[in-house]
């Protein structure tokens, strides 16, 4: 009997196990049917996509976050859009711009108007600007030019419209339509927006073929430019190429004829060159520019930048160079730029002037301006600074004049 009872118990447990397996199989089959059955409205799939996006946005690990998001966005279509958008909106406090970029770009491929309208509802200007850039870039890649130009024309805020135009042109260039991008650029009015587009084109050329390709782009478009465009585009080309390789950019300048619009280039190249080799940059600018207003301005800008980033090194350099006529010519420009923001430094530069009349005039002018707003600081400088008796007497008289 004990043996029979044991066999019955085993049969009951086996039956229960079979029943449980059948129930689980039924549940899985039902879920699968709900996922694939059109009659179910795709609710399970929609919920799964929404949950995947929401889970991704809450994931701290960046790589896991991106993998989950991109996995969900592979399913992006007009049918799945509401679910994916719901996932983003559910966890909007965790969402950053780079999370939104592939979503907005993917959406704009099949309905750019709706994507644009959605982006315009975002409260933060920076985020709206980011969203419009993704739309413009995607449409440039997809050659949907009439649509994107229409959308960009509706944007009234420069902080949104200008970057979007630049991204559109970059997308169009990356798609192989450089001629179309150039044509679009030439239709834009002068201003920051057009400059952003030029920079976008230069960046694309630098990425693809380095400095030679960026310079070649300028040479190609040059015949179509008016005088103002030549000046603006030459300066931007010089700045961007000098950031990558100042020696190539400087050689490019020296190989060109001496035209009026071309004279902006030394300053643009020199400013970028100063970041890596200020002594060489200043020496080059003094060599390739002529004495006079433009040359004085260019040398002064470089020296001010050098002194601002490497003051001790700049002081050592200038100790050996300050007697040079081009340096002396630039010092008054430096003083004018500093007198209201850093009077002690401006007075220090005034002391470097070798022409006695110019030095007296500069010291007096700067000290009097300083004493007008900060009389105690100006008086302390005069007390603490080593000066000749003649200079001290003149400057004391200047302070007394301000005080009376």
């Amino acid at each position: 009997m004990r043996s029979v009872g044991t066999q019955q118990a085993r049969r009951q447990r086996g039956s229960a196990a079979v029943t449980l397996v059948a129930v689980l199989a039924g549940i899985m089959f039902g879920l699968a049917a709900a996922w694939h059955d059109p009659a179910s409205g795709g609710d399970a799939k929609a919920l799964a996509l929404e949950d995947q996006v929401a889970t991704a946005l809450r994931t701290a690990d960046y790589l896991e976050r991106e993998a989950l998001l991109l996995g969900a966005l592979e399913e992006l279509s007009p049918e799945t859009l509401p679910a994916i958008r719901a996932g983003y909106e559910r966890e909007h406090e965790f969402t950053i711009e780079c999370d939104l970029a592939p979503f907005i770009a993917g959406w704009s491929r099949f309905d750019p108007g709706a994507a644009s309208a959605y982006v315009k509802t975002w409260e933060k200007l920076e985020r709206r600007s980011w969203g419009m850039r993704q739309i413009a870039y995607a449409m440039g890649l997809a050659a949907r030019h009439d649509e994107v130009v229409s959308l960009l024309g509706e944007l009234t805020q420069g902080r949104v419209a200008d970057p979007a135009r630049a991204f559109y042109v970059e997308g169009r260039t990356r798609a192989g339509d450089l001629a179309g991008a150039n044509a679009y650029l030439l239709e834009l009015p002068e201003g920051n927006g057009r400059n952003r587009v030029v920079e976008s084109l230069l960046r694309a050329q630098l990425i693809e073929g380095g400095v030679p390709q960026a310079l070649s782009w300028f040479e190609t478009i040059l015949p179509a430019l008016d005088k103002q465009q030549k000046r603006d585009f030459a300066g931007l080309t010089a700045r961007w190429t000098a950031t990558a390789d100042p020696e190539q950019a400087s050689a490019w300048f020296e190989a060109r004829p001496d035209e009026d619009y071309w004279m902006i280039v030394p300053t643009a190249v020199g400013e970028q060159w100063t970041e890596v080799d200020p002594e060489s940059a200043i020496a080059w600018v003094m060599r390739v520019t002529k004495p006079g207003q433009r040359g004085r301005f260019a040398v002064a800008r470089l020296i001010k930048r050098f002194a601002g980033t490497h003051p001790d090194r700049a002081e050592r350099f200038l100790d050996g160079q300050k007697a040079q006529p081009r340096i002396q010519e630039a010092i008054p420009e430096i003083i004018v730029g500093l007198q209201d923001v850093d009077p002690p430094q401006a007075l220090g530069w005034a002391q470097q002037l070798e022409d006695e009349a110019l030095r007296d005039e500069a010291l007096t002018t700067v000290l009097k301006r300083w004493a007008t707003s900060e009389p105690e600081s100006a008086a302390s400088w005069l007390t603490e600074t080593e000066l000749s008796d003649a200079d001290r007497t003149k400057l004391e008289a200047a302070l007394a004049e301000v005080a009376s």
Side-chain angles (χ1 to χ4, degrees):
M1 293 295 294
R2 190 170 178 181
S3 170
V4 171
T6 301
Q7 290 176 358
Q8 286 180 332
R10 288 175 176 169
R11 281 197 297 271
Q12 287 172 349
R13 286 197 297 270
S15 177
V18 171
T19 302
L20 178 60
V21 170
V23 169
L24 289 174
I27 291 172
M28 296 302 295
F29 179 79
L31 287 174
W35 184 282
H36 296 290
D37 182 6
S40 72
D43 290 343
K45 183 174 183 179
L47 287 172
L49 283 171
E50 181 180 336
D51 286 342
Q52 184 172 341
V53 171
T55 299
L57 296 173
R58 291 195 305 269
T59 300
D61 185 275
Y62 184 76
L63 292 178
E64 291 181 18
R65 180 189 187 102
E66 289 301 297
L68 285 168
L69 273 179
L70 293 176
L73 291 172
E74 286 180 356
E75 303 287 335
L76 183 60
S77 67
E79 293 72 32
T80 60
L81 171 66
I84 293 175
R85 185 174 63 192
Y88 275 98
E89 292 174 350
R90 217 168 87 188
E91 305 295 341
H92 64 88
E93 68 271 24
F94 296 107
T95 307
I96 57 179
E97 280 80 1
C98 59
D99 295 329
L100 288 162
F103 169 54
I104 296 300
W107 186 357
S108 65
R109 289 178 182 176
F110 56 83
D111 195 346
S116 175
Y118 181 70
V119 166
K120 289 176 184 177
T121 65
W122 293 346
E123 183 178 350
K124 293 182 179 179
L125 178 65
E126 293 80 6
R127 184 162 287 193
R128 290 202 304 276
S129 177
W130 180 269
M132 289 307 303
R133 286 179 240 172
Q134 311 317 309
I135 293 170
Y137 183 81
M139 295 178 75
L141 281 174
R144 301 178 72 161
H145 306 308
D146 292 340
E147 292 173 89
V148 73
V149 169
S150 176
L151 285 175
L152 293 173
E154 296 170 4
L155 301 177
T156 57
Q157 293 175 300
R159 287 173 62 189
V160 177
D162 294 345
R165 291 190 181 97
F167 269 62
Y168 160 62
V169 164
E170 186 167 348
R172 189 166 184 172
T173 304
R174 294 290 184 86
D177 187 14
L178 179 59
N182 287 342
Y184 175 76
L185 166 66
L186 294 176
E187 293 175 0
L188 295 175
E190 178 186 352
N192 184 59
R194 188 176 73 183
N195 290 347
R196 293 285 293 265
V197 170
V198 174
E199 291 174 342
S200 182
L201 282 162
L202 285 167
R203 182 171 56 248
Q205 300 309 302
L206 284 167
I207 290 171
E208 186 174 319
V211 171
Q213 185 161 322
L215 297 176
S216 176
W217 169 81
F218 177 82
E219 301 294 345
T220 299
I221 202 172
L222 182 62
L225 303 181
D226 61 32
K227 186 175 181 180
Q228 185 61 48
Q229 288 172 332
K230 288 177 180 178
R231 186 176 293 116
D232 291 345
F233 293 13
L236 290 166
T237 301
R239 184 170 294 113
W240 275 80
T241 54
T243 301
D245 189 330
E247 292 188 3
Q248 282 194 66
S250 63
W252 171 65
F253 167 78
E254 293 191 61
R256 299 286 304 177
D258 185 13
E259 298 189 47
D260 179 60
Y261 71 85
W262 201 240
M263 294 312 297
I264 193 174
V265 171
T267 305
V269 171
E271 284 183 330
Q272 302 309 311
W273 201 348
T274 302
E275 298 296 319
V276 292
D277 187 355
E279 294 90 347
S280 295
I282 293 169
W284 177 76
V285 166
M286 288 195 296
R287 179 171 63 80
V288 300
T289 60
K290 299 175 182 177
Q293 183 178 4
R294 281 181 174 169
R296 182 171 68 244
F297 175 78
V299 174
R301 279 183 70 92
L302 268 59
I303 291 174
K304 282 192 290 185
R305 179 168 289 207
F306 187 13
T309 55
H310 304 284
D312 294 337
R313 183 174 161 188
E315 185 176 350
R316 290 193 300 271
F317 170 75
L318 292 167
D319 279 344
Q321 300 285 329
K322 63 184 179 183
Q324 284 201 34
R326 296 298 305 276
I327 299 289
Q328 287 290 310
E329 180 191 43
I331 288 176
E333 285 284 344
I334 299 171
I335 294 169
V336 169
L338 290 171
Q339 63 185 357
D340 292 326
V341 293
D342 193 340
Q345 192 176 355
L347 288 163
W349 277 106
Q351 290 177 279
Q352 304 300 317
L353 286 166
E354 295 194 337
D355 184 289
E356 185 177 351
L358 285 177
R359 184 177 66 251
D360 289 347
E361 181 183 357
L363 285 168
T364 302
T365 300
V366 175
L367 191 64
K368 289 174 72 173
R369 287 174 70 95
W370 191 12
T372 302
S373 57
E374 298 179 357
E376 293 181 1
S377 298
S380 295
W381 179 87
L382 183 55
T383 301
E384 297 167 4
T385 302
E386 184 177 343
L387 297 164
S388 68
D389 291 342
D391 283 345
R392 188 174 301 280
T393 300
K394 292 173 187 174
L395 294 176
E396 286 174 347
L399 286 185
E401 183 182 335
V402 173
S404 62

